[in-house]
Amino acid sequence: MRLVYLWIRAALLHPLRSLTAFFWLLCGKRLRARNRFSVLIEDERYRYEKWLQKNARLSEDDRARIRAEIEAEGDKGPRFLLLCAVGVEPDQQLILRTVRSLRGQFHENWQLAIVCDDKSLLEEVKDRRVKVIVPSDVAAAVSKAAYVGWLKQGDELAEQALYRFARAAKASPALMYCDEDQINRKSVRRHSHFKPGWNPELLVSCDYVGGLSLVRSDMVTPGTGELAQWKTRYGLLLRLGASLQRGEVAHVPEVLYHRYVKRFIGPNSVRPSTHGVNHEEVLRSFAGLGDNVDFEVAEFGHIRPRRRLMDGSGSPLVSLIIPTRDMQRLTKNCVSSILHKSEYRNFEILIVNNDSSKPAALKFLKNISKHPKVRVIDYPGPFNYSAINNFAVTQAAGEYIGLINNDTEVITPTWLDEMLAQAMRDNVGAVGAKLLYGDRRIQHAGVYTGMGGLAGHGHRMLKAKKLGTFSARIFASM
């Protein structure tokens, strides 16, 4: 019944798009119809409520197992310092919410440092682990902890949060972070943020790590700005980002942090990278970026770094491989768009003819082969996309290879410049571009493993100008 209700609602709100989806269903294109219906009936709040009912709470058996593990180990585990800067207008009720969530932790070796000039704040809290300190005392508190984290007043942690982090800390990572959602004064939770693994390229554009993130204390130097401020945490992550390898970062894939909000602010409300950070100054010192990057503020308030080809790197030849069989119109549009719209000009196009037989296709291949940037090579036999491309690579003269489907067209003149600038980085092996359908909806903005039990296209069917999960569809990711 719920699905029927959502379909009726979609038909009322989006009649034309609903008819389009129904048309594809009648034509037998069930996958295409399902993709269009799934966008129309999206109900994030309902889905997350159902997910919470199944996954949010620990069972009594889980609690007993955790307590037994902690007791069997016989030590206190790492000491976590949680900094909470409350500014000039502390909200005592919100702070007490945060304190209550900490006092319910299985892992008890923590300290909450409320950074405020008013030391009389929370005098009624009789817990030696909760202290009100002035900003000048933060560095001393950091020196006594194994890991340092940042909270805001009203934020809460799941009861197993610090226990999970303590387990992850056994490998001594430089950084740990978890998934999160939003919580309001009524303790209603919505808008999950299931975060990706360590992705320094995405971190440059937006604060996808968010809370709760814990940094090993030896990585936090006394000179790192105003240590307790939220912007300091993000600036610190940016400074560390390029030097940290994936094995030095632990992502705990559980919703352990509940970010307090006065009102829910949407499922993709990642704090912009411009949030209180002198961003360009930080990024200019961010190893691996240097002066070969231009920065612009994107339409959503995030920073978008555009990499340029490194000085002295020259203009390496790129071989663009396009397999085809008879699809003359598609192939012509594809090749023409590359030849006429690409700003980067040091490329060759290898059209791989796989037994084309239609006169129009053969005529096009004969004519286009006369272009100085185009070669047509034959690959007879059954169509095998992998085999065709592998064969074409042996015929290519370029230092870099581009694999192009013949049903794509260039719409951004700098496409090859930006992809090549990424591909030329020492730690990058392959680069993919965001693809749009003809109606400017996303075909994919990355291939994600785990979807449908295997893999799938990320952000499919979203509008091209929609942020997407953690802004990942508009910014480069690794």
Side-chain angles (χ1 to χ4, degrees):
M1 290 299 296
R2 177 76 182 181
L3 187 60
V4 173
Y5 160 75
L6 292 173
W7 279 15
I8 293 173
R9 187 188 69 170
L12 293 174
L13 294 176
H14 309 285
L16 183 59
R17 291 165 59 191
S18 298
L19 285 173
T20 301
F22 191 63
F23 168 77
W24 289 121
L25 183 64
L26 292 177
C27 291
K29 303 290 186 179
R30 289 184 295 176
L31 179 60
R32 188 173 299 180
R34 186 183 69 182
N35 286 336
R36 280 152 177 80
F37 270 126
S38 66
V39 174
L40 296 177
I41 67 175
E42 181 170 327
D43 191 340
E44 191 274 341
R45 182 181 67 179
Y46 172 73
R47 291 203 311 271
Y48 191 50
E49 287 174 355
K50 296 290 287 184
W51 185 91
L52 286 175
Q53 292 174 12
K54 183 178 180 181
N55 299 282
R57 296 188 179 277
L58 295 176
S59 67
E60 288 303 321
D61 288 342
D62 291 332
R63 294 186 177 96
R65 177 182 55 79
I66 291 173
R67 293 189 184 100
E69 287 182 9
I70 294 174
E71 184 177 351
E73 290 184 356
D75 61 50
K76 295 182 178 180
R79 180 186 177 95
F80 297 128
L81 172 66
L82 302 171
L83 300 173
C84 181
V86 297
V88 295
E89 296 182 358
D91 186 321
Q92 187 146 318
Q93 293 304 312
L94 290 180
I95 296 173
L96 286 174
R97 288 177 60 137
T98 301
V99 171
R100 282 194 296 269
S101 80
L102 287 171
R103 295 176 77 172
Q105 295 293 306
F106 293 107
H107 181 83
E108 298 180 347
N109 192 12
W110 55 265
Q111 180 183 6
L112 175 64
I114 300 172
V115 184
C116 179
D117 291 324
D118 181 8
K119 286 206 168 187
S120 65
L121 186 68
L122 294 181
E123 286 182 341
E124 72 274 18
V125 177
K126 305 302 181 183
D127 193 320
R128 59 179 177 80
R129 298 171 296 180
V130 181
K131 295 184 177 181
V132 178
I133 64 175
V134 296
S136 59
D137 292 337
V138 172
V142 169
S143 66
K144 299 176 182 178
Y147 284 87
V148 182
W150 290 258
L151 294 173
K152 291 192 173 185
Q153 53 184 350
D155 291 350
E156 299 181 35
L157 303 184
E159 59 185 322
Q160 73 274 27
L162 296 185
Y163 162 78
R164 300 294 191 208
F165 279 116
R167 290 296 177 271
K170 290 183 176 182
S172 193
L175 168 67
M176 301 184 289
Y177 64 96
C178 64
D179 299 335
E180 65 178 89
D181 58 14
Q182 299 171 25
I183 192 168
N184 64 9
R185 281 188 180 269
K186 297 180 180 180
S187 297
V188 176
R189 292 167 53 189
R190 288 185 186 161
H191 302 318
S192 58
H193 284 176
F194 296 112
K195 304 171 186 175
W198 180 233
N199 194 328
E201 188 78 7
L202 181 59
L203 184 67
V204 168
S205 295
C206 67
D207 181 12
Y208 88 91
V209 170
L212 175 67
S213 51
L214 295 169
V215 179
R216 204 171 61 218
S217 59
D218 64 315
M219 312 292 285
V220 183
T221 60
T224 314
E226 300 173 297
L227 287 177
Q229 299 299 320
W230 191 267
K231 65 180 181 181
T232 300
R233 177 200 60 84
Y234 181 52
L236 175 62
L237 293 180
L238 288 173
R239 289 183 173 90
L240 296 176
S243 62
L244 293 182
Q245 301 301 313
R246 190 173 293 270
E248 298 178 279
V249 180
H251 169 218
V252 181
E254 297 181 48
V255 180
L256 304 176
Y257 168 73
H258 313 309
R259 170 184 168 193
Y260 172 76
V261 292
K262 290 183 179 179
R263 62 185 63 87
F264 294 115
I265 50 180
N268 299 309
S269 54
V270 184
R271 290 182 175 96
S273 50
T274 51
H275 184 80
V277 180
N278 187 344
H279 202 83
E280 185 165 343
E281 178 183 327
V282 172
L283 292 179
R284 288 299 180 193
S285 61
F286 187 59
L289 289 183
D291 295 327
N292 293 302
V293 178
D294 295 320
F295 301 102
E296 63 182 39
V297 179
E299 58 189 303
F300 300 99
H302 299 71
I303 291 290
R304 189 187 193 283
R306 290 183 179 272
R307 294 181 182 272
R308 299 194 307 270
L309 295 176
M310 291 181 288
D311 295 337
S313 62
S315 300
L317 178 66
V318 181
S319 297
L320 303 175
I321 299 172
I322 306 174
T324 187
R325 176 187 288 178
D326 285 329
M327 307 299 289
Q328 178 263 342
R329 182 182 61 83
L330 289 178
T331 307
K332 180 179 180 180
N333 291 341
C334 176
V335 173
S336 178
S337 71
I338 294 173
L339 291 174
H340 296 113
K341 294 184 179 180
S342 302
E343 289 187 0
Y344 187 88
R345 303 307 299 173
N346 193 20
F347 63 83
E348 64 169 356
I349 298 176
L350 277 68
I351 302 177
V352 189
N353 175 29
N354 181 224
D355 289 339
S356 294
S357 58
K358 294 183 178 179
L362 294 174
K363 181 179 179 180
F364 164 74
L365 293 175
K366 179 179 178 181
N367 291 335
I368 197 65
S369 65
K370 299 175 184 177
H371 194 285
K373 286 188 173 295
V374 179
R375 284 192 284 151
V376 177
I377 57 178
D378 293 324
Y379 183 89
F383 181 84
N384 183 312
Y385 188 78
S386 300
I388 290 173
N389 281 291
N390 287 334
F391 167 74
V393 168
T394 66
Q395 309 297 309
E399 185 178 350
Y400 291 87
I401 302 294
L403 306 179
I404 312 291
N405 283 4
N406 68 342
D407 60 349
T408 58
E409 297 180 32
V410 171
I411 58 176
T412 305
T414 58
W415 72 283
L416 194 49
D417 307 71
E418 292 198 44
M419 293 184 72
L420 185 58
Q422 293 281 3
M424 293 178 69
R425 296 167 59 191
D426 291 339
N427 61 338
V428 174
V431 180
K434 179 177 67 180
L435 300 181
L436 303 180
Y437 289 114
D439 63 358
R440 292 302 187 262
R441 291 183 177 273
I442 294 173
Q443 179 181 355
H444 82 75
V447 178
Y448 296 157
T449 58
M451 296 175 64
L454 184 60
H457 292 171
H459 312 285
R460 187 172 183 180
M461 299 306 297
L462 286 180
K463 293 180 180 179
K465 290 185 176 295
K466 191 171 182 179
L467 269 174
T469 305
F470 281 96
S471 313
R473 75 112 200 112
I474 59 173
F475 300 124
S477 302
M478 293 182 70

